[in-house]
Amino acid sequence: VTAEEGVQLSQQNAKDFFRVLNLNKKCDTSKHKVLVVSVCPQSLPYFAAKFNLSVTEASRRLCGFLKSLGVHYVFDTTIAADFSILESQKEFVRRYRQHSEEERTLPMLTSACPGWVRYAERVLGRPITAHLCTAKSPQQVMGSLVKDYFARQQNLSPEKIFHVIVAPCYDKKLEALQEGSLPTLHGSRGTDCVLTSGEIAQIMEQGDLSVKDAAIDTLFGDLKEDKVTRHDGASSDGHLAHIFRHAAKELFNEDVEEVTYRALRNKDFQEVTLEKNGEVVLRFAVAYGFRNIQNMILKLKKGKFPYHFVEVLACAGGCLNGRGQAQTPEGHADKALLRQMEGIYADIPVRRPESSAHVQGLYQEWLEGINSPKAREVLHTTYQSQERGAHSLDIKW
């Protein structure tokens, strides 16, 4: 982190959040902002475990608390992950079909984890960033949904909205700083502030407000979210499972209901394969934690990494184990709390992104079609790379 980034990160805290809340309480309405909070699904099991609630009760209690402070809308970022996964699915199929000795487009590496993406850009360089999926992360997509689509629904300019993300991970704060602004956002960042689950829990514990439960809002009029859903990942948004099923059907006409993981070096490095006529035609892996990531890079360098796709996350244990939650006061992982959270997360109903009528509608209403230029602009990104990465790795794909 540069000195300038360090200063900017220090400003992304509860004081910044309360500064906007307090501005809204003053009489100068020209300075008032619409306060929107978007909550990552991996944060909800933390609140459920910490306050001994079901995950639905936790979401309603959190929403009620935030609104009692003065927040106007509370959204779930699952819909943003829908877009990220759907775009990743299409990109993988395209890369698989284009891959050849001359154009080595595989393996495709996920781009949803800001800690991993930053490491790839700043340390590993172009041999790796060329293989990062270009689909934006759920946080980046959520920023565009709130500051572009929702802003227009509310007849607001993007700068009149203050958008906060509640996330399990401190790296999300850095991601918010690096988000490029779309022309439709008029120079405004999609996410103004990221607060970790732990920071929100501290605010809740210090508050003495009488909180009423409130259902999570949706981006679609006056509807409320009746129940919490998630994607098919044990501790993440489950890019691997969704892309694997899609690729199996699209490329090999195979319907895969149950995705079976096989642990290799450890529980944070697992693989999934699809066989057809006795031959492995798809080989996917998850690599969580920097120890596994470094091992993956070493094998890539030696040309001994036989995977078509890897879901990469910087945190060992995945997003549920982000350092913004499930930590002891000494800064160590709270293993007992994490096991409880894993059980809670596993019980949340899984919803596949293809099944969302709202997402399909947004492709048409907001993005002017599934493969339109606007969809490409809003849902995809490019990466900055250090030149030295090419010399330091000398990877043979």
Side-chain angles (χ1 to χ4, degrees), residues 193-304:
C193 177
V194 173
L195 296 177
T196 67
S197 316
E199 287 173 320
I200 292 291
Q202 283 183 334
I203 298 171
M204 295 177 80
E205 289 170 333
Q206 292 164 2
D208 56 357
L209 296 166
S210 176
V211 178
K212 293 181 179 179
D213 291 356
I216 298 283
D217 301 297
T218 77
L219 293 161
F220 311 100
D222 297 326
L223 297 173
K224 300 290 181 182
E225 291 283 9
D226 293 328
K227 63 180 181 179
V228 174
T229 60
R230 66 174 177 90
H231 292 110
D232 196 359
S235 62
S236 67
D237 281 316
H239 281 69
L240 182 147
H242 293 289
I243 294 169
F244 186 80
R245 286 196 189 94
H246 178 79
K249 182 64 176 177
E250 190 75 11
L251 297 169
F252 303 103
N253 199 30
E254 294 285 338
D255 292 303
V256 176
E257 285 301 319
E258 191 69 26
V259 176
T260 304
Y261 293 80
R262 183 168 70 94
L264 298 178
R265 299 177 69 246
N266 51 61
K267 68 181 181 65
D268 280 332
F269 194 93
Q270 301 187 51
E271 74 170 16
V272 176
T273 58
L274 176 70
E275 290 189 19
K276 190 159 181 140
N277 301 324
E279 177 189 359
V280 174
V281 291
L282 288 178
R283 192 184 298 274
F284 282 27
V286 294
Y288 296 170
F290 272 103
R291 185 174 298 177
N292 285 321
I293 291 172
Q294 288 168 344
N295 183 265
M296 174 187 77
I297 298 303
L298 182 63
K299 289 187 175 181
L300 283 170
K301 180 180 178 181
K302 294 179 178 178
K304 296 179 179 179

Side-chain angles (χ1 to χ4, degrees), residues 15-83:
K15 288 182 181 177
D16 195 29
F17 177 50
F18 280 105
R19 175 185 60 80
V20 179
L21 285 170
N22 291 331
L23 271 177
N24 281 359
K25 292 175 183 176
K26 295 182 178 178
C27 294
D28 187 354
T29 56
S30 67
K31 295 183 179 179
H32 287 191
K33 294 199 174 188
V34 173
L35 249 162
V36 175
V37 175
S38 299
V39 182
C40 297
Q42 294 82 21
S43 290
L44 292 177
Y46 169 74
F47 293 107
K50 189 170 183 64
F51 299 115
N52 196 28
L53 301 167
S54 73
V55 74
T56 299
E57 290 170 334
S59 73
R60 295 177 68 92
R61 186 67 53 87
L62 175 63
C63 183
F65 175 76
L66 291 169
K67 289 193 171 183
S68 71
L69 293 177
V71 171
H72 299 94
Y73 298 93
V74 181
F75 297 133
D76 178 354
T77 67
T78 302
I79 190 170
D82 285 339
F83 281 106

